[in-house]
C-alpha cells in the first residue's frame, strides 16, 4: 500500500534520512540547493561504495556568486559519484529532493547542512505514491539532460516556475476555518492578497515569520510591507522563540497541508526551480497540527511598529530602516545608535 510520512526537524534528527540512504539498493537521485553535512556525505559515499548508482545535482552558486557546494562536489566526485550543476535555465534551483530506487521520494524544505538539521524548524515529506515519485524522477532527468519538464495540468506535485503560485493560491482560497503558515518570505502580492481575503471572510489566519532583519536589503520594503498589510487585515504574525524558521508549511482546517521549498516570493514562483507537495494523510496532518500548536505556543507577536522595526533593522541587522520611511524621533535614533556602538 502506498503511503506518505513526515519528518520534522530538528525533532527527528538526521537519522531518518541517513537510514533511507543506507537502505538504497540500486539507485539514488539527489537534487540539493546546499549540501555540506558530513554525516549525509558519508552516507551517500558509502552507498556508492556498496554499488548503488548515484546522481547528484547541486546548485552551482548563490546570486552573489558564492559557491557553497564546492567541497561536497569534490568529495563526491572523488568517490566516483556523478555530479552536475542544476539546470541553468533557472537563476537558482532551490528544490531539495531525493529518490531511492525509483520507489520512494523525499520532498523537503531543508538543505543538507548541519544548521537545517539541528537548529531550524524544517520538514520533509516521504512519499511512495507512484505518480508523485515519477514526477520527481522525470524532473530530475529533464534537469540532468537540460530538457524541458512538463508535468501537465494534472500534475500531482507543486512545481515552480510552473503551477506553484496557482496551487498555493487555490489552497489558501479553499481554507474555511483556519490557516496556519510558516514561511521565510511573504512578498508575493497574489499570495498576500489571498491570505488577506481569507482573513476577511472569517478564516483564522496565523503566520509565523523570521525577523525583518533577515531580509535582504533590496527586499525590505516589500517584505515588511507585506507583513504590515497582513497584520492590518487581522492576521496574527508571530516569531519563534527558540528556533530559527526555515521550513515552508501551510496547514488548512486541520485536514490538508503543503510542504516544500517554496518561499512566498515572486522570485520563487517565477524564476526558481522549486518543489512542494500537498498532503491529506490523517497521521501526517495530525503530526503537523501538533507542531503548529507547539510552535505557536512557543512564539511571540512580532512587533511591526516603526520603533520596533528601526531597532530590529539598525541594531540587530544591517540597516535599511530609511527605505521604510519610518516615523522615529531623533532621540530614539540617537539612543539606539549609542547602544549599537556600545554593544
Amino acid at each position: 500500500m502506498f503511503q506518505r510520512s513526515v519528518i520534522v526537524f530538528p525533532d527527528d534528527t538526521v537519522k531518518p534520512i541517513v537510514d533511507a540512504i543506507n537502505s538504497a539498493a540500486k539507485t539514488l537521485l539527489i537534487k540539493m540547493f546546499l549540501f555540506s553535512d558530513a554525516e549525509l556525505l558519508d552516507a551517500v559515499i558509502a552507498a556508492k561504495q556498496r554499488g548503488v548508482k548515484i546522481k547528484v545535482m547541486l546548485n552551482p552558486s548563490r546570486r552573489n556568486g558564492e559557491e557553497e557546494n564546492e567541497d561536497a562536489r569534490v568529495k563526491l566526485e572523488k568517490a566516483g559519484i556523478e555530479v552536475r550543476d542544476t539546470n541553468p535555465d533557472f537563476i537558482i534551483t532551490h528544490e531539495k529532493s531525493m529518490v531511492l530506487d525509483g520507489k520512494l521520494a523525499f520532498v523537503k524544505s531543508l538543505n543538507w547542512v548541519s544548521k537545517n538539521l539541528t537548529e531550524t524548524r524544517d520538514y520533509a515529506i516521504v512519499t511512495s505514491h507512484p505518480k508523485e515519485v515519477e514526477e520527481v524522477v522525470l524532473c530530475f532527468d529533464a534537469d540532468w539532460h537540460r530538457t524541458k519538464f512538463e508535468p501537465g495540468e494534472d500534475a500531482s506535485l507543486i512545481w515552480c516556475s510552473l503551477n506553484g503560485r496557482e496551487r498555493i493560491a487555490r489552497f489558501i482560497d479553499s481554507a474555511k476555518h483556519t490557516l496556519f503558515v510558516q514561511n521565510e518570505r511573504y512578498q508575493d502580492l497574489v499570495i498576500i492578497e489571498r491570505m488577506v481575503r481569507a482573513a476577511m471572510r472569517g478564516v483564522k489566519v496565523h503566520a509565523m515569520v523570521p525577523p525583518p532583519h533577515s531580509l535582504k536589503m533590496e527586499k525590505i520594503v516589500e517584505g515588511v510591507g507585506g507583513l504590515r498589510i497582513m497584520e492590518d487585515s487581522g492576521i496574527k504574525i508571530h516569531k519563534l522563540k527558540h528556533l530559527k524558521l526555515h521550513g515552508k508549511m501551510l496547514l488548512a482546517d486541520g485536514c490538508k497541508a503543503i510542504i516544500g521549498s517554496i518561499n512566498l516570493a515572486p522570485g520563487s514562483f517565477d524564476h526558481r526551480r522549486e518543489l512542494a507537495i500537498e498532503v491529506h494523510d490523517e497521521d501526517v496532518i495530525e503530526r503537523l497540527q501538533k507542531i503548529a500548536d507547539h510552535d505557536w505556543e512557543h512564539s511571540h507577536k512580532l512587533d511591526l511598529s516603526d520603533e520596533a522595526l528601526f531597532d530590529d533593522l539598525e541594531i540587530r541587522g544591517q540597516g535599511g530602516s530609511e527605505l521604510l520611511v519610518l516615523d522615529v524621533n531623533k532621540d530614539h535614533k540617537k539612543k539606539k545608535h549609542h547602544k549599537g556602538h556600545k554593544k
Side-chain angles (χ1 to χ4, degrees):
M1 183 177 177
F2 308 122
Q3 61 182 11
R4 301 182 191 91
S5 60
V6 62
I7 307 171
V8 180
F9 297 89
D11 306 43
D12 296 342
T13 77
V14 71
K15 187 177 184 299
I17 298 180
V18 172
D19 288 347
I21 295 170
N22 291 341
S23 73
K26 297 178 181 179
T27 61
L28 189 60
L29 304 178
I30 298 167
K31 193 188 297 184
M32 196 59 54
F33 178 57
L34 297 175
F35 187 2
S36 62
D37 183 76
E39 189 172 359
L40 288 169
L41 272 169
D42 289 345
V44 173
I45 290 170
K48 171 64 177 178
Q49 291 171 343
R50 67 173 183 269
V52 178
K53 185 177 180 180
I54 302 173
K55 293 180 179 179
V56 177
M57 271 193 287
L58 300 175
N59 189 72
S61 65
R62 289 181 181 264
R63 286 184 299 176
N64 62 9
E66 184 178 2
E67 295 186 0
E68 298 174 284
N69 290 319
E70 192 57 30
D71 288 346
R73 176 188 288 272
V74 170
K75 291 177 182 178
L76 293 168
E77 289 181 337
K78 187 176 180 181
I81 295 171
E82 286 189 89
V83 183
R84 291 188 183 178
D85 289 346
T86 47
N87 192 337
D89 285 349
F90 298 92
I91 295 173
I92 285 175
T93 288
H94 198 236
E95 174 188 345
K96 306 99 162 52
S97 65
M98 177 173 70
V99 181
L100 286 78
D101 298 329
K103 297 180 179 179
L104 197 66
F106 285 61
V107 177
K108 296 167 284 189
S109 68
L110 70 147
N111 295 296
W112 280 5
V113 297
S114 297
K115 68 178 181 180
N116 285 165
L117 298 162
T118 61
E119 300 175 15
T120 64
R121 172 64 75 218
D122 263 301
Y123 304 94
I125 295 292
V126 187
T127 178
S128 64
H129 284 248
K131 195 171 187 305
E132 294 168 350
V133 175
E134 181 186 30
E135 278 188 26
V136 182
V137 172
L138 288 174
C139 184
F140 187 98
D141 289 343
D143 286 346
W144 185 267
H145 295 290
R146 309 316 198 216
T147 58
K148 195 169 185 179
F149 171 61
E150 297 180 305
E153 293 184 1
D154 62 341
S156 294
L157 301 176
I158 303 169
W159 296 98
C160 296
S161 54
L162 298 170
N163 61 1
R165 182 182 281 112
E166 179 182 358
R167 286 284 299 271
I168 290 178
R170 300 301 179 213
F171 181 91
I172 296 170
D173 288 347
S174 71
K176 293 180 173 59
H177 306 292
T178 61
L179 178 66
F180 177 86
V181 185
Q182 287 182 329
N183 204 275
E184 283 189 288
R185 303 287 178 258
Y186 295 79
Q187 296 164 5
D188 188 78
L189 289 179
V190 172
I191 300 304
I192 291 171
E193 178 203 20
R194 287 318 216 281
M195 292 180 66
V196 167
R197 285 178 176 271
M200 291 174 64
R201 68 174 182 268
V203 177
K204 185 178 180 180
V205 183
H206 287 177
M208 301 202 74
V209 306
H213 71 251
S214 67
L215 293 166
K216 292 182 174 62
M217 188 69 71
E218 66 271 19
K219 299 297 183 182
I220 286 175
V221 173
E222 60 190 273
V224 172
L227 295 179
R228 283 181 145 184
I229 289 169
M230 289 161 54
E231 183 180 55
D232 288 346
S233 71
I235 294 172
K236 293 185 178 180
I237 301 175
H238 278 210
K239 175 187 174 296
L240 273 169
K241 287 182 180 178
H242 305 300
L243 278 177
K244 294 179 181 179
L245 177 59
H246 181 261
K248 301 92 172 67
M249 187 256 278
L250 295 92
L251 177 65
D253 299 327
C255 66
K256 54 189 174 183
I258 290 177
I259 296 286
S261 68
I262 305 171
N263 283 311
L264 304 179
S268 294
F269 289 121
D270 298 327
H271 304 297
R272 296 184 175 193
R273 173 70 85 202
E274 304 269 14
L275 171 61
I277 183 172
E278 182 172 338
V279 294
H280 302 79
D281 312 66
E282 186 175 343
D283 55 339
V284 172
I285 297 301
E286 182 179 354
R287 177 83 191 280
L288 291 175
Q289 186 65 62
K290 287 181 179 178
I291 294 297
D293 293 342
H294 173 276
D295 284 357
W296 193 257
E297 183 179 347
H298 294 83
S299 68
H300 59 77
K301 181 180 181 294
L302 184 64
D303 189 344
L304 292 171
S305 66
D306 283 8
E307 291 81 4
L309 285 169
F310 178 86
D311 294 351
D312 184 74
L313 294 172
E314 300 299 332
I315 304 302
R316 299 177 184 86
Q318 301 301 313
S321 62
E322 70 282 355
L323 300 173
L324 297 171
V325 197
L326 299 173
D327 185 12
V328 181
N329 65 55
K330 291 181 180 180
D331 289 339
H332 186 85
K333 289 182 180 180
K334 287 179 181 178
K335 181 176 65 173
K336 296 304 175 184
H337 180 71
H338 175 70
K339 284 186 177 181
H341 277 286
K342 185 176 180 180
K343 185 177 178 181

